[in-house]
Amino acid sequence: MQLYDVVAGVLKIDPSGLSEQSNALNTPNWDSLRHIELMLAVETTFGANFSMAEMVSMQDLGDMRKLLEAKGVKFDDSEPIRLSA
């Protein structure tokens, strides 16, 4: 499963509307409660653990992807990285 699919599943939105710049300010349904659900879903799906400082530091999906990659998560190259929705 890819990052956009996980995020879209938690937020209950179409993944085609997500990009690396998607964040709580520009994405429907992304409130503080959903943010916690999102962090748990991403940790579970990709087998990574985030510290509280890391959770706070992620400003958008691009930050999330970079942090996951730094933790050794390999993403499928077939999923295009969208710079804007």
Side-chain angles (χ1 to χ4, degrees), residues 33-81:
L33 178 59
R34 290 287 171 93
H35 185 78
I36 293 169
E37 292 175 14
L38 181 57
M39 293 295 104
L40 292 173
V42 169
E43 285 182 327
T44 300
T45 301
F46 296 105
N49 291 311
F50 299 127
S51 69
M52 185 59 73
E54 289 171 333
M55 288 185 197
V56 172
S57 71
M58 288 184 269
Q59 299 298 308
D60 56 31
L61 292 187
D63 290 344
M64 189 179 297
R65 182 183 304 277
K66 289 175 190 168
L67 184 57
L68 286 167
E69 289 174 338
K71 291 180 176 284
V73 173
K74 303 284 187 206
F75 290 98
D76 183 355
D77 290 337
S78 65
E79 179 186 55
I81 295 174

